[in-house]
Amino acid sequence: MSELNFIQQAPDKTTANVLVVPVVTGADGVHAHVADLSKKAVTSLDALLPTLGVSGKLGSLTRIPAPSGFSAETIAFVGTGKDADALEATDLREAFGAAVRGLSHVSHVALAVASDDPETLYQAGLGGLLGAYTFGDYKVQPAPAEQITVVSPAKLKKAEFDALADEAEIVAEAVCEVRNLVNIPASDLTPVKFADIAEAYGKSEKSLSVRVWDENELEKDGFGGILGVGQGSVNPPRLVRVEYKARGAKSTLALVGKGITFDSGGLSIKPAKSMETMKTDMTGAATVLETVVAASRLGVKTNLVAWLCLAENMPSGSATRPGDVLTMYSGRTVEVNNTDAEGRLVLGDGLARAVEEKPDAVIDVATLTGAQIVALGGRISGVMGTDETRNEIIEAADAAGEGMWPMPLPDHLKSGFDSLVADTKNSGGRGGGMLSAGLFLAEFVGDTPWAHIDIAGPSFNEEGPFGSTPKGGTGVAVQTLLAWIESHTAEA
């Protein structure tokens, strides 16, 4: 990861290979959004923008030799897509993320921030780190920036600047580790290997403890959903519990993640094209794992427990058949009418086990339904659950600058799960598939405050990169969950 620093300095006095200057729009055109420049210098920059054809569109990047009087070698103008009055901290994060990604061969990048607000500085630095992300495990990638410096008029002490850098680096690492896990081929990230990664965190992080259920323990303890999904694969399933205990904490929050390391659809097999990205079906588990790791490193004052529900959904002679009945951990029986509706089965077990410990609230995160993509597209996650907790997640997403939208859980869809032989089916009617999946999960949380985040589309970007988001694994929802955890810490 790039080295991040914050300094108080005039942008024109900053030495770097590239000085990135944000561009905002206005009624009279586009303007450089900088501070601590002489009026003459600001005017000279603004005069260049129309000549260069700088539009101000989010992520647009125009690089020129630095004008006389600037210490940087070159200047890169990056569009924010916003008017100066509407510009928010997360907008700068996205603009700087796009800029740093576009400057992948540059060793030292300086980001000019006009504000002295610590949150704005933090988001700027975070954007730079996220934009510098590359996944080079299987292919040589351009080297990211070695050093990112955020320059601003902020008169903070060195310790305060260092604290901002530490926080940004911890959060960026969590997001980027989710991206890494999502991008790894399924052959190299089986349920057992995923569990090993979690156990390694338990050994390296003093504040974390990890327990893993193997297939024998899962059978002994009655985790019929996880076993049923995983029984068709040569790679056995796992359930992982990762606990963070904070000194003096008054509340405990649980996070449950869907961890299907590859989803063929089982005997209800997917079309070949639909299978191409199914190595990503473990994103929910990666998200809750890295969120708890980041929270422990940040020292949040709330107890956390992450549950990773890990299985590989494959067709074979031992696979669960349509019409089979599984007994879930809660004791509820489920007729499997679609083996490709497997995520809710592993989550049902994980949720039931999580609420057994009586957390103050539980959130599950999953690449659960194609219906989410149909309804909300590839950048907006759907959020369902109990009203208060669902709304808390939406507020946290707004604060984190991640797109999430509240969705209902209509009672009339429940009839689609009626079964002649079991308490319920695992797949309902054709309409409202995202909502039906939420209704299925609701049966496993009892009275515990709960929210379900469907990240099927936003978890993996198959199109071109945008803002601070690369192509491939995105790391979506980590920032939202950390903001939600922080809000509960503040209330405690």
Side-chain angles (χ1 to χ4, degrees):
M1 184 178 291
S2 306
E3 178 187 346
L4 178 64
N5 296 291
F6 293 84
I7 60 173
Q8 179 198 1
Q9 193 172 64
D12 51 333
K13 304 301 181 185
T14 301
T15 300
N17 298 120
V18 184
L19 173 68
V20 179
V21 175
V23 173
V24 295
T25 58
D28 56 346
V30 293
H31 298 278
H33 192 63
V34 289
D36 282 358
L37 284 178
S38 67
K39 183 177 180 180
K40 181 179 179 181
V42 173
T43 303
S44 68
L45 288 184
D46 280 349
L48 287 170
L49 301 183
T51 305
L52 296 168
V54 175
S55 68
K57 181 181 178 181
L58 175 61
S60 61
L61 193 64
T62 306
R63 186 178 176 188
I64 63 170
S68 176
F70 282 81
S71 299
E73 295 173 8
T74 60
I75 290 181
F77 298 104
V78 64
T80 63
K82 291 293 182 73
D83 183 278
D85 294 334
L87 188 67
E88 297 183 359
T90 52
D91 297 323
L92 277 180
R93 178 190 70 206
E94 295 305 292
F96 284 137
V100 172
R101 183 176 57 252
L103 299 167
S104 58
H105 292 285
V106 176
S107 177
H108 182 195
V109 179
L111 310 176
V113 178
S115 172
D116 61 1
D117 171 50
E119 175 64 15
T120 302
L121 302 183
Y122 161 76
Q123 291 291 348
L126 178 61
L129 292 174
L130 294 178
Y133 171 80
T134 59
F135 182 67
D137 288 12
Y138 302 86
K139 177 181 178 181
V140 176
Q141 301 284 4
E146 295 178 7
Q147 185 175 353
I148 297 171
T149 302
V150 177
V151 297
S152 76
K155 297 179 180 179
L156 300 180
K157 297 177 181 178
K158 183 180 183 301
E160 294 172 307
F161 278 137
D162 289 346
L164 287 175
D166 288 344
E167 181 179 358
E169 287 172 350
I170 289 170
V171 175
E173 184 172 358
V175 173
C176 292
E177 282 302 319
V178 173
R179 294 173 177 177
N180 287 338
L181 289 168
V182 172
N183 290 332
I184 292 173
S187 58
D188 290 340
L189 190 69
T190 64
V192 171
K193 291 178 180 177
F194 202 148
D196 289 344
I197 291 171
E199 287 192 299
Y201 276 128
K203 294 175 182 177
S204 64
E205 305 290 330
K206 294 181 180 179
S207 57
L208 297 180
S209 58
V210 178
R211 179 189 172 185
V212 177
W213 281 257
D214 65 19
E215 63 270 34
N216 296 320
E217 293 167 310
L218 289 169
E219 183 174 8
K220 177 183 176 182
D221 289 349
F223 289 98
I226 296 175
L227 284 168
V229 173
Q231 70 186 41
S233 174
V234 296
N235 297 304
R238 292 289 184 268
L239 176 65
V240 181
R241 181 183 185 275
V242 182
E243 182 177 21
Y244 163 67
K245 281 191 174 181
R247 183 175 298 176
K250 298 180 180 179
S251 64
T252 299
L253 304 174
L255 307 175
V256 181
K258 173 186 174 182
I260 304 300
T261 59
F262 188 80
D263 182 18
S264 69
L267 291 178
S268 304
I269 197 161
K270 294 178 182 290
K273 190 67 179 176
S274 300
M275 244 186 277
E276 289 180 1
T277 59
M278 283 301 102
K279 67 177 184 178
T280 73
D281 214 16
M282 36 54 65
T283 307
T287 301
V288 301
L289 171 63
E290 297 299 337
T291 295
V292 171
V293 172
S296 72
R297 291 171 176 173
L298 291 168
V300 301
K301 302 302 181 184
T302 301
N303 295 324
L304 302 170
V305 181
W307 297 87
L308 284 58
C309 308
L310 307 176
E312 186 175 53
N313 188 26
M314 299 291 281
S316 73
S318 61
T320 293
R321 296 162 287 260
D324 284 355
V325 175
L326 304 178
T327 301
M328 305 289 284
Y329 179 80
S330 66
R332 190 172 178 80
T333 57
V334 178
E335 178 188 0
V336 178
N337 62 327
N338 183 354
T339 65
D340 196 23
E342 84 300 328
R344 62 199 69 183
L345 295 172
V346 300
L347 286 175
D349 273 355
L351 285 167
R353 181 62 179 83
V355 300
E356 193 174 69
E357 297 183 356
K358 301 188 183 304
D360 294 283
V362 59
I363 307 296
D364 76 78
V365 185
T367 50
L368 205 61
T369 65
Q372 178 277 318
I373 303 173
V374 174
L376 297 174
R379 299 190 187 183
I380 308 294
S381 303
V383 185
M384 291 141 273
T386 52
D387 289 349
E388 183 177 357
T389 306
R390 178 198 62 200
N391 293 342
E392 287 174 358
I393 292 294
I394 297 299
E395 289 176 9
D398 288 343
E402 294 190 311
M404 297 193 183
W405 198 255
M407 301 298 290
L409 292 174
D411 283 343
H412 71 271
L413 293 177
K414 291 181 178 179
S415 61
F417 291 103
D418 291 346
S419 168
L420 291 174
V421 297
D423 294 327
T424 187
K425 295 177 183 176
N426 75 318
S427 182
R430 181 179 180 184
M434 172 173 53
L435 314 182
S436 293
L439 286 167
F440 181 91
L441 296 178
E443 298 297 330
F444 297 92
V445 298
D447 297 328
T448 303
W450 157 75
H452 158 59
I453 309 175
D454 193 334
I455 59 171
S459 66
F460 193 76
N461 176 24
E462 295 188 68
E463 301 175 357
F466 59 92
S468 64
T469 301
K471 189 170 183 177
T474 65
V476 70
V478 170
Q479 295 176 74
T480 292
L481 290 175
L482 288 172
W484 177 71
I485 292 166
E486 191 61 38
S487 70
H488 272 261
T489 302
E491 293 170 1

